[in-house]
Structure formats: structure tokens, C-alpha cells
Amino acid sequence: MNRELMEALDILEKEKSISKDTLLGAIEQSLIQACKNHFGKADNVHVTIDPETCDFSVYAERTVVEYVDDSALEISLVDAQKINTNAEIGDVVKVQIHSKEFGRIATQNAKNVILQKIREEERKVLYDQYYGKEKEVVTGIVQRVMGKNVSINLGKADAILSENEQVKGEIFQPTERIKVYILEVKDTPKGPRILVSRTHPGLVKRLFESEVAEVKDGTVEIKSIAREAGSRTKIAVSSNDPDVDPVGACVGMNGARVGAIVGELRGEKIDIINWDENPAILIENALSPAKVIAVMADPDDKTALVVVPDYQLSLAIGKEGQNARLAARLTGFKIDIKSETQARESGDFYDYEDDEYYEDEEYEEEYSESAGEEQYSDTAADAEEEVYDSSAEENMAEESVEQVSAAEEEYEEASGDAEEYEDEK
């Protein structure tokens, strides 16, 4: 048993993840190459290796001839009978070859063949390993900054974080651990070339899968993601279980789950909304936190008109149009946002009879309540005016009675004076 060779193969298989059969095949090829360098030919050379004991033997098949012209392919009858006493001219005899007889050059070439095969297999193993992790999130260690690119060690291979895939404002320090999204793995002669990203929306999705158990097992499904890396992300989720709140599951207790993701993204804001098959309701949710009066959506043209209260217009559009832009990416609709006053003046409020139409019930209730309060106030004012008017009439009536009473008293006094005058006369 070749114990040293077995131990060497076991170590290589464990450290490099290269199978023992592949290594044995490399040794076989190296021995054939050594024979070719030593004898000049190797077409008739065969190598046998026992995978259990790692014992190997090398032999050459040579034809028995009377006169030898090519010692690599032929053997004399006398030499053949030393190997096999029954050999005759024309027979094929297996001649044992001892590897110790190889020269220094042949041995070095055999060594190079083995090393080359090991390197090829190592690159192949690394490529297969990371190719299977495409579109996944891995943790890496920042190695060094190469100009505008960053080299990140993923364990057994290095990845490149290019400038385009970096979040503006992020600064990386050597030995810092970060999570990256594997974009692409390319096979090159120097090994796998791995491209990673910190801006891809898939990074947010994979982070939710790792933090939220309901997302990982499929109970909560992430329907759509719109992201502006480093600033804000909107994510639409739905639940396959009526007893599970998708938004609550993603937020977690006291915001613990989404807080961990925000921390990994270094403070990037995340809006989580409910997915709805009705595009109007979906658009209304996507414009959160702004309140919406009505949504008129055209599913065929993928356009929508959104009417918001006058005081909510700037909130719906967002800083530099970010809220509206992310909502459009999230829903896939081209969204036109107008204030209530603008919509009524342009006549767009009720001109979409054939489109998906939706009015915010909460706003309607608030509007109805406020309208009711105004109506109540008007009625109360009218009632007060009526009370005032009736009281004024009563006062006028009382004044008239008093005036009549005074006139009657004056008349009686005048009559009395006239009677006294007649008596005297």
C-alpha cells in the first residue's frame, strides 16, 4: 500500500475540495507524459492505479520481433521470453516500466502535469461553488481599495465591488465585514471572476429572506421592490395565509426585523406596503405616507391619474420627486399626481369612466364629517338668527302695547278735563 500517496490525496481532497478520482486521473496522465518524455513515445503505455491502496503500475505493450527497429514499440524474442517463456514472434508482451528510471526532466514534467491539473480543478471547484451562489447574499471582508473599486474576500475567492455597484457615501475600511449581492460569476484562466453589488434591489430581498422567517418559508411573498440605494426603498408584500399580516411580519416586534435590515444598509429608509391586485389600490398604497382622494388607473396603457388633497401634494411627490418615482417603479404605472383643486379645474376628476376608479374611503369619511360639521354650523347660525328675529318682534310688540296704553291714558285724561269744563260752564 502506498500510504504516503493516500495521505497526500486525502489532504488535497479535504483542503481543495478536489475528488480523489480526479487526482488519481492526474497522476495517471503525468506518468504517461513522463514515459513519453523518457521513451519518445507513449501510445502503447498503460497505467493502472488501485483507488483503495493507491498502488500503481506502468507497463508498455511491445510486439515480439526477430530484429528490433524501435525499442519503444518492439522487443526481441530473447527478451520477451524472459518475461513470458511462451512468447513467440508476433505476440504482444507487457513490459513493466519503473518510474525510478525516469530522468530529471521527465520527472519534472510529470510534476508540472499534476500541479496544473490540481490548479484547474481548484478553479473549477471555486467556479461551481460561487456560480451556485449567483443572486444570493454573502458576507465578505474588505481587503483593499483598488482605485475606485473595492476587493472583498469571500472566503476562498476574492470579489470585486465596482464603483457603479457602490452606494454613494459609503466608505469601507480594511477588515470590515459587509454583506454583498453576487451579480455574476465568470470563469477565467486565472480563476473565477466574481462581481458583487451593494445597490441591487435583490440585496434587500435576500436580507428580508434571512431576517423574516415568513418570507423564507413562502408564507409572505415579496411582490415588487423599487430602490434608490442609500436613500429609500419601497417593497410590496402579500400573504398566502389570511391569518398572517405581511407588513407586520416584515416589520417585526418593535421594528426589530426591519431595523436589522436598515442597520445593514446603513440607515436606508424602507417603506413596506400591502400588495393588491387592484392597480388603483396598489398605487394608493405605494404613494404612502401621502393620503389619496381618488385614483383613476388605465391597466392597458399602464397610466394613472392620482388626486390628492391640496396640502398633501408635496408629500405625495416627495423630495425631488422620489416618492412618486419609487411608486411608479413599484407598480409599473406612469403616475400623474394632481391636487384636488387642479383636478377639478382641469375637469379630470370624473372623466375616467372606463378606467379603474378608486376613492379613498377614509378621506371620504373625513370629508363627509367636515361637510356635516359645516352644515351643522350653518343650521345653528340660521337658528340663532331666527331666535334673534323672533325676540326682536316680541320687543316691538311690547313697545307697541306700551304706546297704546299711554295713548289711552292721555285720551282718558283729556276726556275728564272736557267734562269738568262743561260742568263749570
Side-chain angles (χ1 to χ4, degrees):
M1 179 182 290
N2 196 334
R3 190 174 299 277
E4 292 182 358
L5 181 58
M6 283 189 64
E7 292 177 355
L9 295 179
D10 290 337
I11 292 173
L12 284 173
E13 186 176 24
K14 184 177 180 180
E15 293 183 353
K16 305 291 186 180
S17 300
I18 303 174
S19 66
K20 187 181 293 185
D21 293 338
T22 301
L23 294 171
L24 292 175
I27 294 173
E28 180 180 343
Q29 292 296 323
S30 67
L31 291 172
I32 293 175
Q33 182 65 33
C35 291
K36 185 176 182 179
N37 293 330
H38 185 71
F39 299 108
K41 294 180 181 180
D43 296 338
N44 61 331
V45 175
H46 299 276
V47 179
T48 59
I49 303 177
D50 187 347
E52 299 297 331
T53 61
C54 289
D55 292 332
F56 65 91
S57 61
V58 183
Y59 62 91
E61 294 181 346
R62 295 178 182 175
T63 303
V64 179
V65 295
E66 187 174 354
Y67 301 101
V68 177
D69 292 330
D70 188 350
S71 59
L73 301 176
E74 300 173 343
I75 188 174
S76 64
L77 180 60
V78 176
D79 293 336
Q81 288 180 346
K82 292 179 181 179
I83 300 172
N84 185 0
T85 56
N86 297 324
E88 297 180 355
I89 294 175
D91 292 344
V92 177
V93 180
K94 293 182 179 180
V95 180
Q96 186 76 27
I97 298 175
H98 300 285
S99 57
K100 294 180 180 180
E101 298 175 358
F102 296 153
R104 181 180 62 84
I105 296 177
T107 303
Q108 185 66 32
N109 289 338
K111 175 184 175 182
N112 292 337
V113 170
I114 295 175
L115 293 176
Q116 179 66 22
K117 185 65 175 178
I118 291 175
R119 284 193 291 266
E120 290 177 359
E121 288 299 317
E122 187 176 6
R123 288 197 297 266
K124 183 179 178 181
V125 168
L126 284 176
Y127 174 78
D128 293 340
Q129 179 180 352
Y130 287 100
Y131 182 77
K133 292 182 179 180
E134 272 192 356
K135 315 304 178 187
E136 297 290 338
V137 171
V138 295
T139 302
I141 301 175
V142 178
Q143 293 286 91
R144 60 189 181 278
V145 178
M146 306 177 297
K148 295 183 179 180
N149 299 333
V150 181
S151 176
I152 299 174
N153 182 263
L154 301 181
K156 295 182 179 180
D158 289 341
I160 299 174
L161 180 62
S162 64
E163 181 185 9
N164 295 333
E165 300 300 333
Q166 298 177 29
V167 177
K168 292 182 179 180
E170 279 191 347
I171 300 175
F172 302 104
Q173 301 295 334
T175 70
E176 182 181 2
R177 299 178 69 88
I178 60 172
K179 290 185 182 295
V180 292
Y181 181 80
I182 298 180
L183 282 178
E184 186 180 12
V185 181
K186 297 180 180 179
D187 190 14
T188 66
K190 295 184 179 180
R193 178 181 172 85
I194 305 172
L195 303 177
V196 296
S197 173
R198 287 275 296 174
T199 62
H200 198 279
L203 175 63
V204 179
K205 182 177 181 180
R206 297 304 182 190
L207 289 176
F208 269 99
E209 289 178 354
S210 63
E211 291 291 338
V212 182
E214 290 82 357
V215 175
K216 188 174 183 179
D217 62 20
T219 303
V220 175
E221 185 178 355
I222 297 176
K223 290 288 190 177
S224 180
I225 296 178
R227 184 185 184 200
E228 289 190 359
S231 179
R232 198 179 203 91
T233 294
K234 284 184 180 287
I235 178 172
V237 294
S238 67
S239 176
N240 297 320
D241 187 343
D243 297 329
V244 176
D245 176 22
V247 176
C250 293
V251 172
M253 183 71 69
N254 297 325
R257 290 176 171 178
V258 72
I261 298 173
V262 170
E264 181 60 41
L265 298 177
R266 302 190 178 188
E268 182 175 321
K269 297 178 182 179
I270 299 178
D271 295 338
I272 306 172
I273 68 167
N274 282 307
W275 172 269
D276 200 290
E277 295 297 335
N278 187 330
I281 299 177
L282 177 61
I283 292 171
E284 193 262 341
N285 292 340
L287 287 172
S288 175
K291 293 183 179 180
V292 174
I293 299 176
V295 179
M296 285 75 79
D298 186 348
D300 297 329
D301 294 338
K302 290 291 183 180
T303 59
L305 172 64
V306 179
V307 181
V308 299
D310 294 351
Y311 68 93
Q312 291 276 300
L313 181 60
S314 60
L315 182 61
I317 296 174
K319 184 179 179 181
E320 298 179 354
Q322 185 186 67
N323 193 56
R325 187 166 55 250
L326 288 176
R329 292 180 190 172
L330 188 72
T331 59
F333 278 71
K334 183 179 180 181
I335 301 175
D336 182 18
I337 302 176
K338 291 185 178 182
S339 67
E340 183 179 5
T341 302
Q342 293 172 343
R344 292 188 183 279
E345 290 178 352
S346 61
D348 292 332
F349 206 163
Y350 300 103
D351 290 349
Y352 289 80
E353 297 178 356
D354 298 331
D355 299 337
E356 293 287 342
Y357 180 78
Y358 171 74
E359 288 190 358
D360 188 2
E361 296 178 356
E362 181 180 355
Y363 178 82
E364 284 183 344
E365 291 176 0
E366 292 180 358
Y367 181 81
S368 299
E369 290 176 1
S370 60
E373 291 177 357
E374 293 177 359
Q375 185 177 1
Y376 175 79
S377 300
D378 294 340
T379 304
D382 294 340
E384 290 179 357
E385 290 180 359
E386 291 177 358
V387 171
Y388 175 78
D389 293 340
S390 61
S391 60
E393 291 176 355
E394 290 177 358
N395 293 334
M396 291 175 64
E398 291 177 358
E399 290 178 357
S400 299
V401 170
E402 290 177 356
Q403 291 176 358
V404 170
S405 300
E408 289 178 350
E409 290 179 356
E410 290 179 357
Y411 177 77
E412 291 177 355
E413 289 179 358
S415 300
D417 292 340
E419 291 177 356
E420 290 179 358
Y421 176 75
E422 289 293 333
D423 294 337
E424 290 178 358
K425 185 176 179 180

mmCIF file of all heavy atoms in Angstrom, residues 380-412:
data_model
loop_
_atom_site.group_PDB
_atom_site.id
_atom_site.type_symbol
_atom_site.label_atom_id
_atom_site.label_comp_id
_atom_site.label_asym_id
_atom_site.label_seq_id
_atom_site.Cartn_x
_atom_site.Cartn_y
_atom_site.Cartn_z
ATOM 1 N N ALA A 380 -77.113 75.973 12.724
ATOM 2 C CA ALA A 380 -77.124 76.612 14.041
ATOM 3 C C ALA A 380 -77.136 78.126 13.905
ATOM 4 O O ALA A 380 -77.843 78.836 14.638
ATOM 5 C CB ALA A 380 -75.910 76.163 14.850
ATOM 6 N N ALA A 381 -76.365 78.620 12.956
ATOM 7 C CA ALA A 381 -76.327 80.079 12.756
ATOM 8 C C ALA A 381 -77.698 80.595 12.317
ATOM 9 O O ALA A 381 -78.169 81.639 12.794
ATOM 10 C CB ALA A 381 -75.267 80.430 11.705
ATOM 11 N N ASP A 382 -78.324 79.838 11.384
ATOM 12 C CA ASP A 382 -79.666 80.239 10.934
ATOM 13 C C ASP A 382 -80.662 80.239 12.085
ATOM 14 O O ASP A 382 -81.510 81.135 12.202
ATOM 15 C CB ASP A 382 -80.167 79.306 9.834
ATOM 16 C CG ASP A 382 -79.326 79.442 8.566
ATOM 17 O OD1 ASP A 382 -78.650 80.482 8.427
ATOM 18 O OD2 ASP A 382 -79.362 78.506 7.737
ATOM 19 N N ALA A 383 -80.554 79.200 12.947
ATOM 20 C CA ALA A 383 -81.463 79.112 14.087
ATOM 21 C C ALA A 383 -81.263 80.293 15.023
ATOM 22 O O ALA A 383 -82.216 80.884 15.550
ATOM 23 C CB ALA A 383 -81.241 77.805 14.841
ATOM 24 N N GLU A 384 -79.998 80.671 15.242
ATOM 25 C CA GLU A 384 -79.718 81.805 16.116
ATOM 26 C C GLU A 384 -80.320 83.087 15.538
ATOM 27 O O GLU A 384 -80.869 83.920 16.256
ATOM 28 C CB GLU A 384 -78.208 81.962 16.311
ATOM 29 C CG GLU A 384 -77.614 80.839 17.164
ATOM 30 C CD GLU A 384 -76.119 81.000 17.309
ATOM 31 O OE1 GLU A 384 -75.563 81.934 16.701
ATOM 32 O OE2 GLU A 384 -75.512 80.194 18.029
ATOM 33 N N GLU A 385 -80.163 83.220 14.188
ATOM 34 C CA GLU A 385 -80.720 84.404 13.549
ATOM 35 C C GLU A 385 -82.238 84.453 13.711
ATOM 36 O O GLU A 385 -82.830 85.490 13.981
ATOM 37 C CB GLU A 385 -80.357 84.420 12.067
ATOM 38 C CG GLU A 385 -78.872 84.682 11.831
ATOM 39 C CD GLU A 385 -78.550 84.686 10.347
ATOM 40 O OE1 GLU A 385 -79.486 84.459 9.546
ATOM 41 O OE2 GLU A 385 -77.390 84.896 9.999
ATOM 42 N N GLU A 386 -82.921 83.261 13.570
ATOM 43 C CA GLU A 386 -84.369 83.205 13.732
ATOM 44 C C GLU A 386 -84.785 83.570 15.150
ATOM 45 O O GLU A 386 -85.754 84.296 15.380
ATOM 46 C CB GLU A 386 -84.883 81.815 13.379
ATOM 47 C CG GLU A 386 -84.767 81.495 11.883
ATOM 48 C CD GLU A 386 -85.225 80.095 11.589
ATOM 49 O OE1 GLU A 386 -85.591 79.382 12.542
ATOM 50 O OE2 GLU A 386 -85.208 79.711 10.393
ATOM 51 N N VAL A 387 -84.020 83.048 16.127
ATOM 52 C CA VAL A 387 -84.315 83.380 17.516
ATOM 53 C C VAL A 387 -84.173 84.868 17.743
ATOM 54 O O VAL A 387 -84.976 85.529 18.406
ATOM 55 C CB VAL A 387 -83.393 82.585 18.465
ATOM 56 C CG1 VAL A 387 -83.533 83.092 19.905
ATOM 57 C CG2 VAL A 387 -83.735 81.100 18.391
ATOM 58 N N TYR A 388 -83.125 85.419 17.141
ATOM 59 C CA TYR A 388 -82.884 86.859 17.286
ATOM 60 C C TYR A 388 -84.046 87.659 16.676
ATOM 61 O O TYR A 388 -84.538 88.614 17.262
ATOM 62 C CB TYR A 388 -81.569 87.231 16.615
ATOM 63 C CG TYR A 388 -81.298 88.714 16.624
ATOM 64 C CD1 TYR A 388 -80.837 89.357 17.779
ATOM 65 C CD2 TYR A 388 -81.515 89.465 15.476
ATOM 66 C CE1 TYR A 388 -80.604 90.716 17.785
ATOM 67 C CE2 TYR A 388 -81.284 90.831 15.471
ATOM 68 C CZ TYR A 388 -80.817 91.462 16.634
ATOM 69 O OH TYR A 388 -80.584 92.811 16.619
ATOM 70 N N ASP A 389 -84.473 87.177 15.472
ATOM 71 C CA ASP A 389 -85.563 87.879 14.809
ATOM 72 C C ASP A 389 -86.854 87.817 15.624
ATOM 73 O O ASP A 389 -87.587 88.799 15.760
ATOM 74 C CB ASP A 389 -85.812 87.292 13.417
ATOM 75 C CG ASP A 389 -84.628 87.568 12.503
ATOM 76 O OD1 ASP A 389 -83.850 88.489 12.823
ATOM 77 O OD2 ASP A 389 -84.489 86.843 11.477
ATOM 78 N N SER A 390 -87.188 86.639 16.184
ATOM 79 C CA SER A 390 -88.417 86.497 16.968
ATOM 80 C C SER A 390 -88.376 87.337 18.232
ATOM 81 O O SER A 390 -89.364 87.959 18.632
ATOM 82 C CB SER A 390 -88.650 85.023 17.336
ATOM 83 O OG SER A 390 -87.568 84.561 18.113
ATOM 84 N N SER A 391 -87.251 87.399 18.844
ATOM 85 C CA SER A 391 -87.129 88.206 20.061
ATOM 86 C C SER A 391 -87.291 89.692 19.730
ATOM 87 O O SER A 391 -87.883 90.455 20.481
ATOM 88 C CB SER A 391 -85.773 87.953 20.741
ATOM 89 O OG SER A 391 -84.721 88.309 19.862
ATOM 90 N N ALA A 392 -86.752 90.065 18.578
ATOM 91 C CA ALA A 392 -86.894 91.475 18.167
ATOM 92 C C ALA A 392 -88.364 91.819 17.926
ATOM 93 O O ALA A 392 -88.852 92.896 18.311
ATOM 94 C CB ALA A 392 -86.083 91.725 16.892
ATOM 95 N N GLU A 393 -89.118 90.896 17.294
ATOM 96 C CA GLU A 393 -90.542 91.130 17.051
ATOM 97 C C GLU A 393 -91.297 91.250 18.367
ATOM 98 O O GLU A 393 -92.192 92.087 18.523
ATOM 99 C CB GLU A 393 -91.113 89.997 16.203
ATOM 100 C CG GLU A 393 -90.589 90.002 14.767
ATOM 101 C CD GLU A 393 -91.100 88.817 13.988
ATOM 102 O OE1 GLU A 393 -91.784 87.955 14.599
ATOM 103 O OE2 GLU A 393 -90.806 88.715 12.779
ATOM 104 N N GLU A 394 -90.955 90.370 19.331
ATOM 105 C CA GLU A 394 -91.612 90.442 20.630
ATOM 106 C C GLU A 394 -91.370 91.800 21.283
ATOM 107 O O GLU A 394 -92.264 92.421 21.875
ATOM 108 C CB GLU A 394 -91.126 89.311 21.532
ATOM 109 C CG GLU A 394 -91.607 87.941 21.081
ATOM 110 C CD GLU A 394 -91.044 86.840 21.970
ATOM 111 O OE1 GLU A 394 -90.269 87.174 22.900
ATOM 112 O OE2 GLU A 394 -91.386 85.668 21.749
ATOM 113 N N ASN A 395 -90.113 92.266 21.172
ATOM 114 C CA ASN A 395 -89.802 93.579 21.770
ATOM 115 C C ASN A 395 -90.620 94.699 21.109
ATOM 116 O O ASN A 395 -91.135 95.610 21.766
ATOM 117 C CB ASN A 395 -88.307 93.875 21.618
ATOM 118 C CG ASN A 395 -87.464 92.912 22.466
ATOM 119 O OD1 ASN A 395 -87.948 92.397 23.478
ATOM 120 N ND2 ASN A 395 -86.212 92.708 22.066
ATOM 121 N N MET A 396 -90.734 94.583 19.777
ATOM 122 C CA MET A 396 -91.507 95.604 19.061
ATOM 123 C C MET A 396 -92.980 95.570 19.486
ATOM 124 O O MET A 396 -93.633 96.607 19.656
ATOM 125 C CB MET A 396 -91.395 95.396 17.555
ATOM 126 C CG MET A 396 -89.989 95.684 17.017
ATOM 127 S SD MET A 396 -89.857 95.299 15.261
ATOM 128 C CE MET A 396 -91.025 96.492 14.596
ATOM 129 N N ALA A 397 -93.516 94.325 19.662
ATOM 130 C CA ALA A 397 -94.915 94.201 20.084
ATOM 131 C C ALA A 397 -95.125 94.806 21.456
ATOM 132 O O ALA A 397 -96.107 95.514 21.723
ATOM 133 C CB ALA A 397 -95.336 92.727 20.073
ATOM 134 N N GLU A 398 -94.190 94.532 22.366
ATOM 135 C CA GLU A 398 -94.308 95.079 23.717
ATOM 136 C C GLU A 398 -94.272 96.605 23.682
ATOM 137 O O GLU A 398 -95.024 97.285 24.387
ATOM 138 C CB GLU A 398 -93.183 94.534 24.597
ATOM 139 C CG GLU A 398 -93.335 93.047 24.898
ATOM 140 C CD GLU A 398 -92.174 92.527 25.711
ATOM 141 O OE1 GLU A 398 -91.244 93.322 25.994
ATOM 142 O OE2 GLU A 398 -92.191 91.327 26.087
ATOM 143 N N GLU A 399 -93.375 97.149 22.821
ATOM 144 C CA GLU A 399 -93.293 98.611 22.735
ATOM 145 C C GLU A 399 -94.612 99.185 22.190
ATOM 146 O O GLU A 399 -95.108 100.228 22.649
ATOM 147 C CB GLU A 399 -92.140 99.019 21.816
ATOM 148 C CG GLU A 399 -90.771 98.723 22.432
ATOM 149 C CD GLU A 399 -89.665 99.087 21.481
ATOM 150 O OE1 GLU A 399 -89.943 99.504 20.326
ATOM 151 O OE2 GLU A 399 -88.484 98.938 21.867
ATOM 152 N N SER A 400 -95.226 98.489 21.231
ATOM 153 C CA SER A 400 -96.495 98.960 20.661
ATOM 154 C C SER A 400 -97.598 98.972 21.707
ATOM 155 O O SER A 400 -98.411 99.912 21.799
ATOM 156 C CB SER A 400 -96.908 98.079 19.481
ATOM 157 O OG SER A 400 -95.926 98.137 18.478
ATOM 158 N N VAL A 401 -97.684 97.911 22.539
ATOM 159 C CA VAL A 401 -98.687 97.827 23.598
ATOM 160 C C VAL A 401 -98.524 98.979 24.581
ATOM 161 O O VAL A 401 -99.477 99.622 25.029
ATOM 162 C CB VAL A 401 -98.615 96.473 24.310
ATOM 163 C CG1 VAL A 401 -99.488 96.462 25.558
ATOM 164 C CG2 VAL A 401 -99.020 95.361 23.360
ATOM 165 N N GLU A 402 -97.242 99.221 24.913
ATOM 166 C CA GLU A 402 -96.972 100.306 25.858
ATOM 167 C C GLU A 402 -97.420 101.652 25.271
ATOM 168 O O GLU A 402 -97.984 102.511 25.950
ATOM 169 C CB GLU A 402 -95.481 100.342 26.199
ATOM 170 C CG GLU A 402 -95.041 99.147 27.037
ATOM 171 C CD GLU A 402 -93.552 99.178 27.291
ATOM 172 O OE1 GLU A 402 -92.860 100.076 26.755
ATOM 173 O OE2 GLU A 402 -93.066 98.289 28.027
ATOM 174 N N GLN A 403 -97.139 101.812 23.943
ATOM 175 C CA GLN A 403 -97.540 103.072 23.303
ATOM 176 C C GLN A 403 -99.074 103.221 23.293
ATOM 177 O O GLN A 403 -99.632 104.308 23.538
ATOM 178 C CB GLN A 403 -97.013 103.130 21.882
ATOM 179 C CG GLN A 403 -95.499 103.271 21.814
ATOM 180 C CD GLN A 403 -94.971 103.221 20.402
ATOM 181 O OE1 GLN A 403 -95.765 103.032 19.456
ATOM 182 N NE2 GLN A 403 -93.662 103.388 20.251
ATOM 183 N N VAL A 404 -99.819 102.128 23.013
ATOM 184 C CA VAL A 404 -101.291 102.164 23.014
ATOM 185 C C VAL A 404 -101.821 102.508 24.402
ATOM 186 O O VAL A 404 -102.747 103.306 24.588
ATOM 187 C CB VAL A 404 -101.861 100.830 22.520
ATOM 188 C CG1 VAL A 404 -103.370 100.762 22.732
ATOM 189 C CG2 VAL A 404 -101.505 100.626 21.055
ATOM 190 N N SER A 405 -101.233 101.851 25.417
ATOM 191 C CA SER A 405 -101.665 102.115 26.796
ATOM 192 C C SER A 405 -101.461 103.581 27.154
ATOM 193 O O SER A 405 -102.323 104.233 27.769
ATOM 194 C CB SER A 405 -100.886 101.222 27.769
ATOM 195 O OG SER A 405 -101.120 99.867 27.482
ATOM 196 N N ALA A 406 -100.338 104.132 26.752
ATOM 197 C CA ALA A 406 -100.059 105.542 27.058
ATOM 198 C C ALA A 406 -101.058 106.460 26.346
ATOM 199 O O ALA A 406 -101.548 107.459 26.904
ATOM 200 C CB ALA A 406 -98.628 105.885 26.635
ATOM 201 N N ALA A 407 -101.390 106.098 25.098
ATOM 202 C CA ALA A 407 -102.352 106.913 24.338
ATOM 203 C C ALA A 407 -103.738 106.882 24.988
ATOM 204 O O ALA A 407 -104.449 107.893 25.044
ATOM 205 C CB ALA A 407 -102.418 106.405 22.892
ATOM 206 N N GLU A 408 -104.141 105.673 25.455
ATOM 207 C CA GLU A 408 -105.447 105.551 26.116
ATOM 208 C C GLU A 408 -105.490 106.396 27.382
ATOM 209 O O GLU A 408 -106.496 107.052 27.684
ATOM 210 C CB GLU A 408 -105.731 104.089 26.454
ATOM 211 C CG GLU A 408 -106.020 103.247 25.210
ATOM 212 C CD GLU A 408 -106.247 101.795 25.557
ATOM 213 O OE1 GLU A 408 -105.998 101.408 26.739
ATOM 214 O OE2 GLU A 408 -106.641 101.007 24.670
ATOM 215 N N GLU A 409 -104.386 106.377 28.147
ATOM 216 C CA GLU A 409 -104.355 107.178 29.369
ATOM 217 C C GLU A 409 -104.467 108.657 29.054
ATOM 218 O O GLU A 409 -105.196 109.417 29.712
ATOM 219 C CB GLU A 409 -103.049 106.896 30.134
ATOM 220 C CG GLU A 409 -103.012 105.504 30.733
ATOM 221 C CD GLU A 409 -101.705 105.256 31.447
ATOM 222 O OE1 GLU A 409 -100.809 106.148 31.410
ATOM 223 O OE2 GLU A 409 -101.537 104.144 32.033
ATOM 224 N N GLU A 410 -103.764 109.107 28.003
ATOM 225 C CA GLU A 410 -103.831 110.518 27.624
ATOM 226 C C GLU A 410 -105.269 110.891 27.183
ATOM 227 O O GLU A 410 -105.793 111.978 27.470
ATOM 228 C CB GLU A 410 -102.850 110.799 26.486
ATOM 229 C CG GLU A 410 -101.401 110.720 26.918
ATOM 230 C CD GLU A 410 -100.460 110.973 25.762
ATOM 231 O OE1 GLU A 410 -100.938 111.155 24.611
ATOM 232 O OE2 GLU A 410 -99.228 110.972 25.985
ATOM 233 N N TYR A 411 -105.915 109.938 26.432
ATOM 234 C CA TYR A 411 -107.285 110.186 25.966
ATOM 235 C C TYR A 411 -108.240 110.314 27.140
ATOM 236 O O TYR A 411 -109.108 111.184 27.185
ATOM 237 C CB TYR A 411 -107.713 109.059 25.030
ATOM 238 C CG TYR A 411 -109.138 109.191 24.554
ATOM 239 C CD1 TYR A 411 -109.465 110.111 23.543
ATOM 240 C CD2 TYR A 411 -110.178 108.433 25.124
ATOM 241 C CE1 TYR A 411 -110.786 110.242 23.135
ATOM 242 C CE2 TYR A 411 -111.480 108.568 24.711
ATOM 243 C CZ TYR A 411 -111.785 109.484 23.700
ATOM 244 O OH TYR A 411 -113.095 109.618 23.288
ATOM 245 N N GLU A 412 -108.115 109.414 28.155
ATOM 246 C CA GLU A 412 -108.989 109.475 29.326
ATOM 247 C C GLU A 412 -108.794 110.780 30.081
ATOM 248 O O GLU A 412 -109.748 111.408 30.563
ATOM 249 C CB GLU A 412 -108.718 108.269 30.232
ATOM 250 C CG GLU A 412 -109.174 106.946 29.630
ATOM 251 C CD GLU A 412 -108.827 105.773 30.517
ATOM 252 O OE1 GLU A 412 -108.156 105.979 31.562
ATOM 253 O OE2 GLU A 412 -109.204 104.627 30.166
#
